[in-house]
Amino acid sequence: VEEWFKKGMSLFEEEQFKPAASAFNAAGDHAYANWAQGRHLISNGKKSDAAESFRTAANMFFEAMKYRLTLDILFKEISNIPPWKPEDDRLYQQARLKEPLYLSPQDTVKFALDRKCFDELSFEHFLDSSTAPLIMEHRSESKLIQHISNRYFSKEDLESLEKSVPIIIANMYALPSKKEFARAIALYLQANDFISAE
C-alpha cells in the first residue's frame, strides 16, 4: 500500500495524472486519486468533470481531517473552475475554522474577492499594505462599495481607510445614500483620480 502511494505521489509530481490516480486507488487513497483524476480531466479539457473530482477529493480530505489539503484543493483547483457552489463555501468556512492561518492574508483576500464574498474581508485587510492593493483592484465593484457602506466605522477608522483605500471610500461617499460628494471629490483628487472627481 505504501509503495503504491509513493508511486502515486511520484507520478503526480511528474504530472502523469491518470497513472497517478490508478496508483492512489491501488493504495486505497481515494482522495488523492480523485485529485489526480481531476488534474487528468483538466488536461483533457473536461473542466466540469474535473471540478466534481476535485470536490469529491476536497470532501474526502475534510472527512479525513486533512484540512490543509481541503483548502489547497478549494483554493488552487475548484476556484479556477466556475461556478463556485454554495457547498464549496460551507466546506471552505469549515476548513478555515480548523486551519485559520494556513492561507496567507493575501491568499485569503484574493479568494474572498474572486468569489465576491466581501464579508470575509476584515478591517485589517483594508489597512494592510500587502492586501489593500488587492482590494483596490476591485474599487469599482458596487457590492464591495455597498458592503463597506453597510458596516459601522468610527471616525478614526474612516480616516485610516481614507488613507489606505481612498478611491473605495470616495466611491462609498458618492453613493446616493451617503451624498457626501465634497468628501468624495477630495479623496478622488488626493488619489489623483481626476476623472472620477469630475
Side-chain angles (χ1 to χ4, degrees):
V1 171
E2 190 175 326
E3 287 303 312
W4 279 113
F5 183 80
K6 286 181 184 176
K7 180 72 172 167
M9 288 304 286
S10 175
L11 290 166
F12 192 89
E13 289 170 9
E14 294 169 8
E15 298 186 6
Q16 296 181 38
F17 299 118
K18 188 169 183 165
S22 297
F24 287 132
N25 275 324
D29 196 318
H30 302 295
Y32 268 107
N34 273 285
W35 193 355
Q37 181 64 22
R39 288 273 184 96
H40 170 70
L41 291 165
I42 284 281
S43 68
N44 288 326
K46 298 179 178 176
K47 288 185 176 186
S48 65
D49 292 339
E52 291 314 309
S53 286
F54 292 141
R55 283 185 175 94
T56 300
N59 279 294
M60 288 178 157
F61 282 131
F62 186 85
E63 289 170 16
M65 295 185 285
K66 295 179 179 178
Y67 306 116
R68 290 180 175 201
L69 291 170
T70 302
L71 290 168
D72 282 339
I73 292 176
L74 290 167
F75 182 70
K76 296 175 183 173
E77 309 287 4
I78 296 173
S79 69
N80 295 318
I81 309 172
W84 182 260
K85 295 184 176 181
E87 57 265 26
D88 300 331
D89 267 328
R90 284 190 292 279
L91 189 61
Y92 173 71
Q93 295 300 336
Q94 291 171 346
R96 284 276 299 170
L97 284 173
K98 302 293 185 179
E99 289 286 347
L101 301 176
Y102 180 61
L103 294 178
S104 70
Q106 297 86 350
D107 287 343
T108 299
V109 167
K110 182 184 177 314
F111 203 38
L113 292 169
D114 288 348
R115 294 170 19 252
K116 307 216 183 304
C117 293
F118 303 121
D119 58 324
E120 293 178 10
L121 301 174
S122 71
F123 178 69
E124 291 73 25
H125 289 141
F126 287 91
L127 301 180
D128 186 290
S129 62
S130 67
T131 54
L134 298 171
I135 297 170
M136 282 294 289
E137 291 174 15
H138 295 260
R139 63 184 166 266
S140 300
E141 286 271 352
S142 61
K143 285 186 176 181
L144 174 61
I145 306 306
Q146 198 61 50
H147 171 71
I148 293 170
S149 174
N150 292 339
R151 289 176 72 170
Y152 170 77
F153 295 109
S154 69
K155 184 179 180 194
E156 293 81 18
D157 289 348
L158 276 174
E159 288 172 359
S160 297
L161 289 171
E162 287 175 0
K163 291 175 186 160
S164 66
V165 288
I167 294 175
I168 292 176
I169 300 306
N171 288 343
M172 181 194 73
Y173 288 148
L175 287 172
S177 61
K178 294 285 184 190
K179 296 182 184 176
E180 296 186 45
F181 302 117
R183 287 180 79 180
I185 290 169
L187 286 172
Y188 288 135
L189 293 173
Q190 174 187 322
N192 296 322
D193 185 349
F194 303 112
I195 294 170
S196 296
E198 291 179 357

PDB file of all heavy atoms in Angstrom, residues 16-51:
ATOM      1  N   GLN A  16       1.874  13.083 -14.384  1.00  0.00           N
ATOM      2  CA  GLN A  16       1.295  11.923 -15.053  1.00  0.00           C
ATOM      3  C   GLN A  16       0.075  11.520 -14.231  1.00  0.00           C
ATOM      4  O   GLN A  16       0.118  10.595 -13.435  1.00  0.00           O
ATOM      5  CB  GLN A  16       2.323  10.795 -15.150  1.00  0.00           C
ATOM      6  CG  GLN A  16       3.528  11.154 -16.001  1.00  0.00           C
ATOM      7  CD  GLN A  16       4.501   9.996 -16.086  1.00  0.00           C
ATOM      8  OE1 GLN A  16       4.101   8.824 -16.176  1.00  0.00           O
ATOM      9  NE2 GLN A  16       5.784  10.317 -16.058  1.00  0.00           N
ATOM     10  N   PHE A  17      -1.001  12.277 -14.456  1.00  0.00           N
ATOM     11  CA  PHE A  17      -2.121  12.218 -13.530  1.00  0.00           C
ATOM     12  C   PHE A  17      -2.966  10.953 -13.637  1.00  0.00           C
ATOM     13  O   PHE A  17      -3.427  10.436 -12.621  1.00  0.00           O
ATOM     14  CB  PHE A  17      -2.986  13.474 -13.688  1.00  0.00           C
ATOM     15  CG  PHE A  17      -2.225  14.737 -13.389  1.00  0.00           C
ATOM     16  CD1 PHE A  17      -2.048  15.701 -14.362  1.00  0.00           C
ATOM     17  CD2 PHE A  17      -1.660  14.942 -12.142  1.00  0.00           C
ATOM     18  CE1 PHE A  17      -1.333  16.857 -14.106  1.00  0.00           C
ATOM     19  CE2 PHE A  17      -0.940  16.095 -11.861  1.00  0.00           C
ATOM     20  CZ  PHE A  17      -0.777  17.060 -12.849  1.00  0.00           C
ATOM     21  N   LYS A  18      -3.178  10.442 -14.839  1.00  0.00           N
ATOM     22  CA  LYS A  18      -4.006   9.233 -14.968  1.00  0.00           C
ATOM     23  C   LYS A  18      -3.342   8.040 -14.285  1.00  0.00           C
ATOM     24  O   LYS A  18      -3.993   7.364 -13.471  1.00  0.00           O
ATOM     25  CB  LYS A  18      -4.315   8.938 -16.432  1.00  0.00           C
ATOM     26  CG  LYS A  18      -5.321   7.818 -16.587  1.00  0.00           C
ATOM     27  CD  LYS A  18      -5.824   7.684 -17.988  1.00  0.00           C
ATOM     28  CE  LYS A  18      -6.876   6.583 -18.010  1.00  0.00           C
ATOM     29  NZ  LYS A  18      -7.661   6.597 -19.205  1.00  0.00           N
ATOM     30  N   PRO A  19      -2.048   7.742 -14.552  1.00  0.00           N
ATOM     31  CA  PRO A  19      -1.429   6.636 -13.815  1.00  0.00           C
ATOM     32  C   PRO A  19      -1.324   6.925 -12.310  1.00  0.00           C
ATOM     33  O   PRO A  19      -1.385   6.001 -11.491  1.00  0.00           O
ATOM     34  CB  PRO A  19      -0.044   6.473 -14.446  1.00  0.00           C
ATOM     35  CG  PRO A  19       0.094   7.494 -15.502  1.00  0.00           C
ATOM     36  CD  PRO A  19      -1.174   8.261 -15.603  1.00  0.00           C
ATOM     37  N   ALA A  20      -1.170   8.210 -11.950  1.00  0.00           N
ATOM     38  CA  ALA A  20      -1.126   8.561 -10.525  1.00  0.00           C
ATOM     39  C   ALA A  20      -2.441   8.191  -9.859  1.00  0.00           C
ATOM     40  O   ALA A  20      -2.451   7.637  -8.755  1.00  0.00           O
ATOM     41  CB  ALA A  20      -0.841  10.053 -10.351  1.00  0.00           C
ATOM     42  N   ALA A  21      -3.552   8.489 -10.534  1.00  0.00           N
ATOM     43  CA  ALA A  21      -4.873   8.155  -9.977  1.00  0.00           C
ATOM     44  C   ALA A  21      -4.989   6.647  -9.760  1.00  0.00           C
ATOM     45  O   ALA A  21      -5.491   6.199  -8.720  1.00  0.00           O
ATOM     46  CB  ALA A  21      -5.977   8.668 -10.895  1.00  0.00           C
ATOM     47  N   SER A  22      -4.513   5.871 -10.717  1.00  0.00           N
ATOM     48  CA  SER A  22      -4.558   4.404 -10.578  1.00  0.00           C
ATOM     49  C   SER A  22      -3.714   3.935  -9.403  1.00  0.00           C
ATOM     50  O   SER A  22      -4.134   3.051  -8.638  1.00  0.00           O
ATOM     51  CB  SER A  22      -4.070   3.741 -11.869  1.00  0.00           C
ATOM     52  OG  SER A  22      -4.935   4.063 -12.937  1.00  0.00           O
ATOM     53  N   ALA A  23      -2.529   4.526  -9.246  1.00  0.00           N
ATOM     54  CA  ALA A  23      -1.652   4.135  -8.137  1.00  0.00           C
ATOM     55  C   ALA A  23      -2.289   4.502  -6.795  1.00  0.00           C
ATOM     56  O   ALA A  23      -2.250   3.704  -5.843  1.00  0.00           O
ATOM     57  CB  ALA A  23      -0.285   4.805  -8.288  1.00  0.00           C
ATOM     58  N   PHE A  24      -2.882   5.692  -6.712  1.00  0.00           N
ATOM     59  CA  PHE A  24      -3.539   6.091  -5.456  1.00  0.00           C
ATOM     60  C   PHE A  24      -4.718   5.173  -5.142  1.00  0.00           C
ATOM     61  O   PHE A  24      -4.932   4.815  -3.980  1.00  0.00           O
ATOM     62  CB  PHE A  24      -4.004   7.549  -5.520  1.00  0.00           C
ATOM     63  CG  PHE A  24      -2.899   8.560  -5.435  1.00  0.00           C
ATOM     64  CD1 PHE A  24      -2.832   9.603  -6.339  1.00  0.00           C
ATOM     65  CD2 PHE A  24      -1.932   8.485  -4.448  1.00  0.00           C
ATOM     66  CE1 PHE A  24      -1.823  10.557  -6.266  1.00  0.00           C
ATOM     67  CE2 PHE A  24      -0.915   9.428  -4.349  1.00  0.00           C
ATOM     68  CZ  PHE A  24      -0.853  10.471  -5.271  1.00  0.00           C
ATOM     69  N   ASN A  25      -5.481   4.796  -6.169  1.00  0.00           N
ATOM     70  CA  ASN A  25      -6.584   3.860  -5.942  1.00  0.00           C
ATOM     71  C   ASN A  25      -6.066   2.526  -5.430  1.00  0.00           C
ATOM     72  O   ASN A  25      -6.652   1.928  -4.519  1.00  0.00           O
ATOM     73  CB  ASN A  25      -7.414   3.671  -7.218  1.00  0.00           C
ATOM     74  CG  ASN A  25      -8.469   4.745  -7.371  1.00  0.00           C
ATOM     75  OD1 ASN A  25      -9.060   5.199  -6.392  1.00  0.00           O
ATOM     76  ND2 ASN A  25      -8.706   5.170  -8.601  1.00  0.00           N
ATOM     77  N   ALA A  26      -4.950   2.054  -5.998  1.00  0.00           N
ATOM     78  CA  ALA A  26      -4.352   0.787  -5.542  1.00  0.00           C
ATOM     79  C   ALA A  26      -3.893   0.898  -4.094  1.00  0.00           C
ATOM     80  O   ALA A  26      -3.920  -0.082  -3.338  1.00  0.00           O
ATOM     81  CB  ALA A  26      -3.185   0.400  -6.455  1.00  0.00           C
ATOM     82  N   ALA A  27      -3.481   2.116  -3.705  1.00  0.00           N
ATOM     83  CA  ALA A  27      -3.049   2.341  -2.316  1.00  0.00           C
ATOM     84  C   ALA A  27      -4.229   2.552  -1.386  1.00  0.00           C
ATOM     85  O   ALA A  27      -4.060   2.634  -0.170  1.00  0.00           O
ATOM     86  CB  ALA A  27      -2.126   3.561  -2.256  1.00  0.00           C
ATOM     87  N   GLY A  28      -5.431   2.658  -1.946  1.00  0.00           N
ATOM     88  CA  GLY A  28      -6.628   2.883  -1.132  1.00  0.00           C
ATOM     89  C   GLY A  28      -6.829   4.335  -0.734  1.00  0.00           C
ATOM     90  O   GLY A  28      -7.650   4.633   0.130  1.00  0.00           O
ATOM     91  N   ASP A  29      -6.084   5.250  -1.366  1.00  0.00           N
ATOM     92  CA  ASP A  29      -6.223   6.678  -1.058  1.00  0.00           C
ATOM     93  C   ASP A  29      -7.065   7.339  -2.147  1.00  0.00           C
ATOM     94  O   ASP A  29      -6.553   7.872  -3.137  1.00  0.00           O
ATOM     95  CB  ASP A  29      -4.861   7.363  -0.945  1.00  0.00           C
ATOM     96  CG  ASP A  29      -4.968   8.715  -0.268  1.00  0.00           C
ATOM     97  OD1 ASP A  29      -5.926   9.454  -0.581  1.00  0.00           O
ATOM     98  OD2 ASP A  29      -4.105   9.037   0.569  1.00  0.00           O
ATOM     99  N   HIS A  30      -8.379   7.290  -1.935  1.00  0.00           N
ATOM    100  CA  HIS A  30      -9.304   7.761  -2.965  1.00  0.00           C
ATOM    101  C   HIS A  30      -9.370   9.287  -3.045  1.00  0.00           C
ATOM    102  O   HIS A  30      -9.753   9.835  -4.076  1.00  0.00           O
ATOM    103  CB  HIS A  30     -10.681   7.148  -2.740  1.00  0.00           C
ATOM    104  CG  HIS A  30     -10.621   5.646  -2.742  1.00  0.00           C
ATOM    105  ND1 HIS A  30     -10.268   4.922  -3.856  1.00  0.00           N
ATOM    106  CD2 HIS A  30     -10.814   4.746  -1.748  1.00  0.00           C
ATOM    107  CE1 HIS A  30     -10.265   3.641  -3.566  1.00  0.00           C
ATOM    108  NE2 HIS A  30     -10.588   3.500  -2.280  1.00  0.00           N
ATOM    109  N   ALA A  31      -8.972   9.969  -1.977  1.00  0.00           N
ATOM    110  CA  ALA A  31      -8.937  11.434  -2.026  1.00  0.00           C
ATOM    111  C   ALA A  31      -7.872  11.890  -3.018  1.00  0.00           C
ATOM    112  O   ALA A  31      -8.146  12.678  -3.930  1.00  0.00           O
ATOM    113  CB  ALA A  31      -8.673  12.008  -0.638  1.00  0.00           C
ATOM    114  N   TYR A  32      -6.656  11.373  -2.858  1.00  0.00           N
ATOM    115  CA  TYR A  32      -5.594  11.723  -3.801  1.00  0.00           C
ATOM    116  C   TYR A  32      -5.924  11.218  -5.208  1.00  0.00           C
ATOM    117  O   TYR A  32      -5.590  11.870  -6.195  1.00  0.00           O
ATOM    118  CB  TYR A  32      -4.245  11.163  -3.342  1.00  0.00           C
ATOM    119  CG  TYR A  32      -3.447  12.111  -2.490  1.00  0.00           C
ATOM    120  CD1 TYR A  32      -3.301  11.905  -1.123  1.00  0.00           C
ATOM    121  CD2 TYR A  32      -2.828  13.230  -3.051  1.00  0.00           C
ATOM    122  CE1 TYR A  32      -2.565  12.764  -0.337  1.00  0.00           C
ATOM    123  CE2 TYR A  32      -2.083  14.106  -2.267  1.00  0.00           C
ATOM    124  CZ  TYR A  32      -1.954  13.870  -0.910  1.00  0.00           C
ATOM    125  OH  TYR A  32      -1.221  14.730  -0.134  1.00  0.00           O
ATOM    126  N   ALA A  33      -6.571  10.059  -5.293  1.00  0.00           N
ATOM    127  CA  ALA A  33      -6.953   9.526  -6.605  1.00  0.00           C
ATOM    128  C   ALA A  33      -7.909  10.483  -7.314  1.00  0.00           C
ATOM    129  O   ALA A  33      -7.757  10.739  -8.516  1.00  0.00           O
ATOM    130  CB  ALA A  33      -7.592   8.148  -6.453  1.00  0.00           C
ATOM    131  N   ASN A  34      -8.862  11.032  -6.566  1.00  0.00           N
ATOM    132  CA  ASN A  34      -9.791  11.992  -7.172  1.00  0.00           C
ATOM    133  C   ASN A  34      -9.091  13.289  -7.566  1.00  0.00           C
ATOM    134  O   ASN A  34      -9.410  13.892  -8.581  1.00  0.00           O
ATOM    135  CB  ASN A  34     -10.958  12.277  -6.224  1.00  0.00           C
ATOM    136  CG  ASN A  34     -12.065  11.275  -6.410  1.00  0.00           C
ATOM    137  OD1 ASN A  34     -12.803  11.313  -7.372  1.00  0.00           O
ATOM    138  ND2 ASN A  34     -12.160  10.342  -5.471  1.00  0.00           N
ATOM    139  N   TRP A  35      -8.135  13.720  -6.752  1.00  0.00           N
ATOM    140  CA  TRP A  35      -7.365  14.917  -7.091  1.00  0.00           C
ATOM    141  C   TRP A  35      -6.601  14.694  -8.401  1.00  0.00           C
ATOM    142  O   TRP A  35      -6.649  15.523  -9.316  1.00  0.00           O
ATOM    143  CB  TRP A  35      -6.412  15.245  -5.954  1.00  0.00           C
ATOM    144  CG  TRP A  35      -5.784  16.618  -6.015  1.00  0.00           C
ATOM    145  CD1 TRP A  35      -5.898  17.541  -7.018  1.00  0.00           C
ATOM    146  CD2 TRP A  35      -4.956  17.216  -5.028  1.00  0.00           C
ATOM    147  NE1 TRP A  35      -5.181  18.675  -6.702  1.00  0.00           N
ATOM    148  CE2 TRP A  35      -4.600  18.501  -5.477  1.00  0.00           C
ATOM    149  CE3 TRP A  35      -4.479  16.791  -3.798  1.00  0.00           C
ATOM    150  CZ2 TRP A  35      -3.781  19.360  -4.750  1.00  0.00           C
ATOM    151  CZ3 TRP A  35      -3.668  17.660  -3.069  1.00  0.00           C
ATOM    152  CH2 TRP A  35      -3.330  18.926  -3.547  1.00  0.00           C
ATOM    153  N   ALA A  36      -5.901  13.555  -8.492  1.00  0.00           N
ATOM    154  CA  ALA A  36      -5.153  13.234  -9.708  1.00  0.00           C
ATOM    155  C   ALA A  36      -6.094  13.090 -10.902  1.00  0.00           C
ATOM    156  O   ALA A  36      -5.803  13.577 -12.005  1.00  0.00           O
ATOM    157  CB  ALA A  36      -4.339  11.959  -9.503  1.00  0.00           C
ATOM    158  N   GLN A  37      -7.237  12.456 -10.686  1.00  0.00           N
ATOM    159  CA  GLN A  37      -8.223  12.300 -11.761  1.00  0.00           C
ATOM    160  C   GLN A  37      -8.711  13.664 -12.238  1.00  0.00           C
ATOM    161  O   GLN A  37      -8.870  13.899 -13.437  1.00  0.00           O
ATOM    162  CB  GLN A  37      -9.406  11.443 -11.286  1.00  0.00           C
ATOM    163  CG  GLN A  37     -10.479  11.212 -12.336  1.00  0.00           C
ATOM    164  CD  GLN A  37      -9.981  10.406 -13.529  1.00  0.00           C
ATOM    165  OE1 GLN A  37      -8.994   9.680 -13.458  1.00  0.00           O
ATOM    166  NE2 GLN A  37     -10.662  10.548 -14.664  1.00  0.00           N
ATOM    167  N   GLY A  38      -8.941  14.573 -11.301  1.00  0.00           N
ATOM    168  CA  GLY A  38      -9.358  15.928 -11.671  1.00  0.00           C
ATOM    169  C   GLY A  38      -8.322  16.621 -12.528  1.00  0.00           C
ATOM    170  O   GLY A  38      -8.643  17.259 -13.542  1.00  0.00           O
ATOM    171  N   ARG A  39      -7.051  16.490 -12.149  1.00  0.00           N
ATOM    172  CA  ARG A  39      -5.975  17.091 -12.946  1.00  0.00           C
ATOM    173  C   ARG A  39      -5.920  16.467 -14.342  1.00  0.00           C
ATOM    174  O   ARG A  39      -5.691  17.156 -15.329  1.00  0.00           O
ATOM    175  CB  ARG A  39      -4.630  16.903 -12.236  1.00  0.00           C
ATOM    176  CG  ARG A  39      -4.448  17.759 -11.004  1.00  0.00           C
ATOM    177  CD  ARG A  39      -3.878  19.127 -11.406  1.00  0.00           C
ATOM    178  NE  ARG A  39      -3.592  19.956 -10.260  1.00  0.00           N
ATOM    179  CZ  ARG A  39      -2.402  20.068  -9.685  1.00  0.00           C
ATOM    180  NH1 ARG A  39      -1.374  19.381 -10.145  1.00  0.00           N
ATOM    181  NH2 ARG A  39      -2.243  20.858  -8.654  1.00  0.00           N
ATOM    182  N   HIS A  40      -6.120  15.141 -14.410  1.00  0.00           N
ATOM    183  CA  HIS A  40      -6.139  14.455 -15.713  1.00  0.00           C
ATOM    184  C   HIS A  40      -7.287  14.997 -16.575  1.00  0.00           C
ATOM    185  O   HIS A  40      -7.098  15.279 -17.761  1.00  0.00           O
ATOM    186  CB  HIS A  40      -6.277  12.946 -15.510  1.00  0.00           C
ATOM    187  CG  HIS A  40      -6.532  12.192 -16.778  1.00  0.00           C
ATOM    188  ND1 HIS A  40      -5.577  12.041 -17.761  1.00  0.00           N
ATOM    189  CD2 HIS A  40      -7.645  11.570 -17.226  1.00  0.00           C
ATOM    190  CE1 HIS A  40      -6.093  11.353 -18.775  1.00  0.00           C
ATOM    191  NE2 HIS A  40      -7.354  11.046 -18.470  1.00  0.00           N
ATOM    192  N   LEU A  41      -8.462  15.154 -15.969  1.00  0.00           N
ATOM    193  CA  LEU A  41      -9.620  15.655 -16.715  1.00  0.00           C
ATOM    194  C   LEU A  41      -9.391  17.091 -17.197  1.00  0.00           C
ATOM    195  O   LEU A  41      -9.781  17.440 -18.310  1.00  0.00           O
ATOM    196  CB  LEU A  41     -10.878  15.559 -15.858  1.00  0.00           C
ATOM    197  CG  LEU A  41     -11.362  14.127 -15.590  1.00  0.00           C
ATOM    198  CD1 LEU A  41     -12.374  14.115 -14.454  1.00  0.00           C
ATOM    199  CD2 LEU A  41     -11.944  13.519 -16.856  1.00  0.00           C
ATOM    200  N   ILE A  42      -8.744  17.907 -16.383  1.00  0.00           N
ATOM    201  CA  ILE A  42      -8.419  19.286 -16.786  1.00  0.00           C
ATOM    202  C   ILE A  42      -7.538  19.251 -18.029  1.00  0.00           C
ATOM    203  O   ILE A  42      -7.756  20.006 -18.982  1.00  0.00           O
ATOM    204  CB  ILE A  42      -7.685  20.052 -15.645  1.00  0.00           C
ATOM    205  CG1 ILE A  42      -8.663  20.453 -14.574  1.00  0.00           C
ATOM    206  CG2 ILE A  42      -6.931  21.265 -16.158  1.00  0.00           C
ATOM    207  CD1 ILE A  42      -9.495  21.658 -14.861  1.00  0.00           C
ATOM    208  N   SER A  43      -6.535  18.382 -18.028  1.00  0.00           N
ATOM    209  CA  SER A  43      -5.611  18.316 -19.167  1.00  0.00           C
ATOM    210  C   SER A  43      -6.314  17.856 -20.440  1.00  0.00           C
ATOM    211  O   SER A  43      -5.825  18.103 -21.542  1.00  0.00           O
ATOM    212  CB  SER A  43      -4.421  17.401 -18.846  1.00  0.00           C
ATOM    213  OG  SER A  43      -4.830  16.054 -18.738  1.00  0.00           O
ATOM    214  N   ASN A  44      -7.465  17.212 -20.287  1.00  0.00           N
ATOM    215  CA  ASN A  44      -8.258  16.778 -21.447  1.00  0.00           C
ATOM    216  C   ASN A  44      -9.414  17.725 -21.752  1.00  0.00           C
ATOM    217  O   ASN A  44     -10.297  17.394 -22.545  1.00  0.00           O
ATOM    218  CB  ASN A  44      -8.791  15.360 -21.230  1.00  0.00           C
ATOM    219  CG  ASN A  44      -7.688  14.328 -21.324  1.00  0.00           C
ATOM    220  OD1 ASN A  44      -6.752  14.489 -22.104  1.00  0.00           O
ATOM    221  ND2 ASN A  44      -7.780  13.288 -20.529  1.00  0.00           N
ATOM    222  N   GLY A  45      -9.439  18.887 -21.081  1.00  0.00           N
ATOM    223  CA  GLY A  45     -10.463  19.892 -21.355  1.00  0.00           C
ATOM    224  C   GLY A  45     -11.828  19.598 -20.756  1.00  0.00           C
ATOM    225  O   GLY A  45     -12.803  20.240 -21.125  1.00  0.00           O
ATOM    226  N   LYS A  46     -11.910  18.668 -19.840  1.00  0.00           N
ATOM    227  CA  LYS A  46     -13.195  18.302 -19.228  1.00  0.00           C
ATOM    228  C   LYS A  46     -13.319  18.974 -17.861  1.00  0.00           C
ATOM    229  O   LYS A  46     -13.249  18.336 -16.810  1.00  0.00           O
ATOM    230  CB  LYS A  46     -13.313  16.788 -19.110  1.00  0.00           C
ATOM    231  CG  LYS A  46     -13.296  16.091 -20.458  1.00  0.00           C
ATOM    232  CD  LYS A  46     -13.399  14.600 -20.312  1.00  0.00           C
ATOM    233  CE  LYS A  46     -13.422  13.937 -21.679  1.00  0.00           C
ATOM    234  NZ  LYS A  46     -13.434  12.483 -21.573  1.00  0.00           N
ATOM    235  N   LYS A  47     -13.508  20.296 -17.889  1.00  0.00           N
ATOM    236  CA  LYS A  47     -13.473  21.087 -16.663  1.00  0.00           C
ATOM    237  C   LYS A  47     -14.585  20.744 -15.680  1.00  0.00           C
ATOM    238  O   LYS A  47     -14.351  20.656 -14.478  1.00  0.00           O
ATOM    239  CB  LYS A  47     -13.511  22.575 -16.999  1.00  0.00           C
ATOM    240  CG  LYS A  47     -12.231  23.071 -17.601  1.00  0.00           C
ATOM    241  CD  LYS A  47     -12.271  24.563 -17.804  1.00  0.00           C
ATOM    242  CE  LYS A  47     -10.937  25.063 -18.318  1.00  0.00           C
ATOM    243  NZ  LYS A  47     -10.897  26.525 -18.396  1.00  0.00           N
ATOM    244  N   SER A  48     -15.814  20.559 -16.167  1.00  0.00           N
ATOM    245  CA  SER A  48     -16.905  20.306 -15.214  1.00  0.00           C
ATOM    246  C   SER A  48     -16.734  18.946 -14.533  1.00  0.00           C
ATOM    247  O   SER A  48     -16.994  18.808 -13.333  1.00  0.00           O
ATOM    248  CB  SER A  48     -18.269  20.427 -15.885  1.00  0.00           C
ATOM    249  OG  SER A  48     -18.422  19.429 -16.856  1.00  0.00           O
ATOM    250  N   ASP A  49     -16.259  17.942 -15.276  1.00  0.00           N
ATOM    251  CA  ASP A  49     -15.974  16.642 -14.661  1.00  0.00           C
ATOM    252  C   ASP A  49     -14.824  16.758 -13.669  1.00  0.00           C
ATOM    253  O   ASP A  49     -14.845  16.152 -12.595  1.00  0.00           O
ATOM    254  CB  ASP A  49     -15.633  15.596 -15.730  1.00  0.00           C
ATOM    255  CG  ASP A  49     -16.828  15.232 -16.606  1.00  0.00           C
ATOM    256  OD1 ASP A  49     -17.976  15.453 -16.171  1.00  0.00           O
ATOM    257  OD2 ASP A  49     -16.612  14.739 -17.731  1.00  0.00           O
ATOM    258  N   ALA A  50     -13.814  17.572 -14.036  1.00  0.00           N
ATOM    259  CA  ALA A  50     -12.674  17.785 -13.147  1.00  0.00           C
ATOM    260  C   ALA A  50     -13.128  18.437 -11.847  1.00  0.00           C
ATOM    261  O   ALA A  50     -12.693  18.040 -10.758  1.00  0.00           O
ATOM    262  CB  ALA A  50     -11.628  18.657 -13.843  1.00  0.00           C
ATOM    263  N   ALA A  51     -14.005  19.423 -11.954  1.00  0.00           N
ATOM    264  CA  ALA A  51     -14.488  20.119 -10.756  1.00  0.00           C
ATOM    265  C   ALA A  51     -15.159  19.137  -9.803  1.00  0.00           C
ATOM    266  O   ALA A  51     -14.965  19.221  -8.580  1.00  0.00           O
ATOM    267  CB  ALA A  51     -15.453  21.243 -11.141  1.00  0.00           C
TER     268      ALA A  51
END
